[in-house]
C-alpha cells in the first residue's frame, strides 16, 4: 500500500509483524486494568456471552466491596467480538 506522509512517499503502514507486536503490547499493558460490567458486555457481545466467559474462566472477575464486578481488561479485549458494519 502506497501512501504519502509529510510529503514523503511510503510503501507500507504496518510491516514486519508490527501489528501483531502492537496488539501483544496492548494486551500485556492492559493486564493490570479492569473494565466495568457494562463496558465488558459491550466489548464481548452481550451479558450472556460475558457470563459464559466468566463461568468458563476465560475472563477473570473481581468483586469489590461496593457490590460491583470488574473484569480484567486484557481478558476482555482478547475475546472481543468482531464489529461488522451492516450494509
Amino acid at each position: 500500500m502506497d501512501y504519502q506522509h509529510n510529503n514523503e512517499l511510503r510503501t507500507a503502514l504496518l510491516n514486519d509483524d508490527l501489528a501483531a507486536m502492537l496488539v501483544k503490547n496492548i494486551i500485556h499493558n492492559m493486564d493490570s486494568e479492569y473494565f466495568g460490567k457494562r463496558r465488558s458486555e459491550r466489548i464481548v457481545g452481550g451479558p450472556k456471552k460475558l457470563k459464559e466467559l466468566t463461568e468458563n474462566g476465560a475472563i477473570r472477575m473481581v468483586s469489590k466491596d461496593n457490590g460491583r464486578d470488574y473484569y480484567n481488561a486484557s481478558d476482555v479485549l482478547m475475546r472481543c467480538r468482531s464489529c461488522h458494519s451492516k450494509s
Side-chain angles (χ1 to χ4, degrees), residues 11-71:
T11 57
L13 183 61
L14 297 174
N15 55 11
D16 299 331
D17 297 323
L18 180 61
M21 184 177 66
L22 290 173
V23 169
K24 183 179 176 183
N25 288 341
I26 290 168
I27 296 297
H28 178 71
N29 288 331
M30 293 300 286
D31 194 42
S32 62
E33 301 292 326
Y34 290 88
F35 290 145
K37 182 179 180 182
R38 300 286 182 244
R39 178 173 294 210
S40 299
E41 288 174 351
R42 215 172 26 240
I43 292 172
V44 299
K48 289 182 183 178
K49 185 70 173 176
L50 181 63
K51 184 178 179 183
E52 175 186 317
L53 290 168
T54 305
E55 288 174 352
N56 291 341
I59 295 179
R60 293 171 279 173
M61 180 184 73
V62 174
S63 295
K64 298 285 182 167
D65 293 337
N66 60 4
R68 294 185 181 187
D69 296 330
Y70 294 93
Y71 301 86

Side-chain angles (χ1 to χ4, degrees), residues 82-87:
S82 61
C83 297
H84 296 290
S85 61
K86 295 180 180 179
S87 303

